[in-house]
């Protein structure tokens, strides 16, 4: 699929995002009450399934065709020593994804999900791998302490490619649920800048240790985020209402963040639940929500990362994470585990017997879960 | 398998429990450091896999043969109106398990686990079901506000049957991990009494809403637990060191709790990780740990239930739950989800490529996860 007019594709996709189907969600909740269990006893899994019913507009959604998109790119800001790993690790890890040796390969398989790996803009060329989608929108984004990460047309292109990717996957093997993951040395610096710009929080409070950096590198990273925001005004740290998602991506983002933002928009427009992983895929969700706030209703937060910027992101998006396992790897690992829980929640809703079907007496109390 | 001398079988099983293999756990941790991810970035999944390595005495444990034991029994204390459901629901739900319509059937299948259903002592006979293990140690336990739940020899028998069950399953299809679940109207009252006796906490603080009872029933339930403890001294509420697990089970327990306690002991003696579900299977773990404290090293806490007695139990056992999803159903539902996470953690440890294998450069910092 060639994209003639990326900006138009983004606008069309955003405009197609309708609110979740409240009626389907209500019917799912009503069905939950008739299943052979005390009301509310499956806790958050009940609310999760009802939410996915609203997203998919189906009383009993089935999440059989599962996809994890892992988008990778390099970042010019890596030159400031903000990561514990050298830049060539991005390409090496993408090769590891293609070879099936990374954590996301294991956890996607565990979740029954296929993996789509995207070279959105890695510096080094990645050998082999028919399964690798080679977008290569640049040889890494530019150093965001010196100016924008990329020209605005390229930001549009990155998002549009994410939209096209999900459309192609839906047309191909089909997608009932999608998780979003990332790879990119120094991309937690770009993500922290996005989080600071969107939430208005000070860079220090949303900057974390990423792959595991020492105090010296951490201080350098905070300064780098501050500089990136100052240089790329109007998305400065004091901004509290960043509504131009494309401009935000162009100024302090990255190619993989743009592709993931496009995946979120396309998922929401197609009533596909989209599962956020950690800091970087969360920052991509912020970009998507800046373009079209309605995307929020289609997002599921899989886990709370150890990265402070991730908690700020989830609060901004008003999403409660399903898991708190101190994951901070990225790649979509938390999203894959989150898909596992979404599948469990929807299977319970779909497959459990009702009191009537099973011939089980219902409660002699009428008690709501909140009582 | 007939059990000639239940007390001797319990003693033999308890004596066979050795500490987890610290060397295997250390080798697993050492392997984690060489896998293609920043150190510690898989968070609690890394610690979980290392712990299971210690339990199984294998550097790379494989949890392929998965079992959930669901033990059911009735409780004489149900006559005090402590549940929102009538007593016949126990038998009806066991029939639902046999027919495959309950939440545990769905979640065990989701976890790739088989389910072994046990009628440990349900009042009504359950129709059909070759897969149902009919122990029927009594037609429900006795009313614990009037005297002991069961004679001591029957408590020994219940535990020994749990030991024999796990041995038979190991000899049959094999067991790499086992989860423990329960069913029994009013069994959260018995479990609260066990938790109060073992932890020394006031009955009110460890008594919950069970299936979802109103304030009137809740007050009745607290009084019932208090009476059960007073009548069945020496396991009164003020006791803080209940070391006679068999006596504890006989005085305020239940048949299904005894069977699950036996499963825990047998699992620990065979180096099989045993996953606790909610309040009732947690109380069974307290009984097992009272018999042999070494069982603690083989237990995995799947989730934190909404029941307050469950949190007290996990604190007493020094176990941190993997999930907090407000589940309060029992049946082994949380345990099945916990098995899913154990499998994920062990697959990551076993299947991920090392830096060397994947040709990925390692960190140029040496940073521990805590730094």
């Amino acid at each position: 699929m060639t994209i003639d007019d990326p900006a138009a594709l983004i606008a069309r996709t955003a405009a197609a995002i309708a609110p979740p189907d409240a009626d389907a969600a209500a019917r799912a909740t009503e069905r939950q009450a008739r299943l052979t269990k005390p009301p509310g006893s499956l806790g958050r899994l009940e609310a999760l399934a009802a939410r996915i019913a609203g997203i998919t507009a189906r009383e009993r959604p089935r999440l059989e065709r599962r996809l994890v998109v892992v988008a990778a790119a390099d970042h010019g800001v890596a030159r400031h020593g903000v990561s514990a790993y050298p830049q060539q690790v991005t390409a090496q890890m993408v090769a590891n994804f293609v070879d099936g040796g990374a954590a996301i390969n294991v956890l996607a398989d565990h979740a029954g999900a296929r993996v789509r790996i995207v070279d959105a803009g890695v510096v080094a060329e990645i050998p082999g791998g028919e399964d690798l989608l080679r977008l290569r929108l640049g040889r890494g984004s530019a150093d965001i302490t010196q100016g924008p990460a990329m020209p605005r047309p390229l930001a549009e292109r990155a998002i549009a490619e994410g939209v096209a990717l999900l459309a192609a996957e839906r047309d191909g093997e089909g997608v009932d649920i999608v998780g979003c993951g990332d790879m990119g040395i120094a991309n937690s610096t770009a993500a922290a800048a996005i989080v600071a710009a969107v939430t208005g929080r000070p860079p220090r409070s949303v900057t974390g240790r990423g792959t595991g950096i020492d105090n010296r590198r951490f201080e350098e990273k905070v300064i780098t985020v501050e500089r990136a925001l100052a240089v790329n005004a109007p998305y400065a740290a004091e901004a509290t209402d960043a509504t131009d998602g494309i401009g935000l991506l162009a100024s302090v983002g990255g190619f993989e963040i743009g592709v993931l933002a496009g995946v979120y928009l396309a998922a929401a427009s197609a009533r596909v639940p989209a599962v956020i992983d950690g800091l970087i895929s969360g920052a991509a969700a912020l970009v998507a929500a800046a373009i079209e706030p309605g995307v929020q209703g289609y997002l599921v937060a899989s886990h709370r990362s150890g990265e402070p910027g991730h908690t700020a992101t989830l609060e901004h998006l008003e999403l409660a994470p399903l898991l708190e396992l101190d994951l901070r790897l990225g790649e979509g690992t938390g999203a894959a585990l989150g898909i596992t829980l979404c599948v469990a929640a929807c299977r319970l809703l779909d497959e459990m017997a009702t009191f009537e079907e099973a011939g089980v007496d219902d409660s002699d109390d009428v008690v709501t879960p909140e009582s």
Side-chain angles (χ1 to χ4, degrees), chain A:
Chain A
M1 174 173 174
T2 54
I3 301 165
D4 294 331
D5 187 342
L9 178 59
I10 295 168
R12 219 164 47 234
T13 305
I17 298 174
D21 185 334
D23 183 57
R27 278 182 285 129
T29 300
E30 190 272 335
R31 177 173 164 79
Q32 301 271 17
R34 291 183 288 118
L35 299 177
T36 45
K37 59 175 184 49
S41 61
L42 284 168
R44 293 187 59 202
L45 295 182
E46 296 190 26
L48 178 62
R51 189 150 180 267
I52 295 173
I55 288 173
T56 57
R58 292 180 180 193
E59 180 187 327
R60 294 159 74 165
R62 290 183 187 170
L63 307 179
E64 284 161 8
R65 300 166 299 174
R66 306 160 200 159
L67 172 69
V68 175
V69 176
V70 189
D74 273 310
H75 292 257
V77 75
R79 77 182 52 149
H80 296 284
V82 289
S83 173
Y85 292 81
Q87 190 170 58
Q88 63 264 29
V89 166
T90 305
Q92 291 167 348
M93 280 303 295
V94 174
N96 194 23
F97 299 156
V98 172
D99 291 344
I104 186 54
N105 301 101
V106 177
L107 291 182
D109 186 68
H110 179 255
R114 65 188 194 273
V115 181
R116 189 74 165 122
I117 307 155
V118 185
D119 173 359
V122 178
V123 169
E125 195 137 358
I126 294 136
E130 282 176 30
D131 295 340
L132 177 65
L133 176 61
R134 297 171 196 269
L135 297 176
R136 300 186 64 71
L137 301 171
R139 303 190 116 209
S141 51
D143 180 354
I144 55 177
T145 67
Q146 306 299 312
M150 64 192 83
R152 188 174 176 105
L154 212 45
E156 291 170 340
R157 174 89 192 285
I159 297 168
E161 290 286 359
V163 171
L165 185 164
L166 195 78
E169 290 291 327
R170 290 183 62 238
D171 289 345
E173 294 185 50
V175 183
D176 296 323
I177 188 167
V178 62
C180 284
D182 72 286
M183 177 69 216
I185 293 303
N187 66 3
S188 68
T189 301
I194 290 172
V195 175
V198 172
T199 67
R201 301 196 194 196
R204 181 173 293 276
S205 76
V206 296
T207 301
R209 303 268 170 175
T211 47
I213 53 175
D214 60 19
N215 288 338
R216 182 183 56 78
R217 283 185 196 261
F218 175 75
E219 292 302 327
E220 180 66 30
K221 187 173 174 181
V222 171
I223 291 166
T224 303
V225 174
E226 287 169 346
R227 273 194 200 134
L229 290 165
V231 165
N232 288 286
Y235 297 112
E238 57 274 24
T240 55
D241 180 37
T243 54
D244 176 14
I246 296 169
L248 183 65
L249 177 69
S251 59
V252 294
F255 297 121
E256 81 281 45
I257 295 172
V259 168
L260 296 180
V263 170
Y264 290 124
L265 290 170
S269 74
R271 296 198 165 279
V272 171
V275 184
I276 298 174
D277 186 29
L279 177 67
I280 289 87
S281 74
L286 291 177
V287 169
I291 293 169
E292 171 46 58
V295 79
Q296 187 275 351
Y298 294 84
L299 302 175
V300 175
S302 59
H303 77 112
R304 185 190 302 282
S305 152
E307 283 282 311
H310 191 238
T311 290
T313 298
L314 297 184
E315 286 176 9
H316 186 84
L317 292 170
E318 298 181 1
L319 296 172
L322 295 168
L323 293 160
E324 301 210 25
L325 294 170
D326 299 329
L327 306 178
R328 50 179 180 79
L329 175 55
E331 300 181 4
T333 47
L337 291 172
I339 288 174
T340 303
L341 287 177
C342 292
V343 170
C346 290
R347 285 193 59 184
L348 287 163
L349 173 61
D350 183 44
E351 297 176 27
M352 278 181 73
T354 63
F355 283 105
E356 194 179 9
E357 286 164 359
V360 174
D361 292 345
D362 203 347
S363 167
D364 53 358
D365 284 347
V366 178
V367 182
T368 62
E370 293 72 28
S371 72

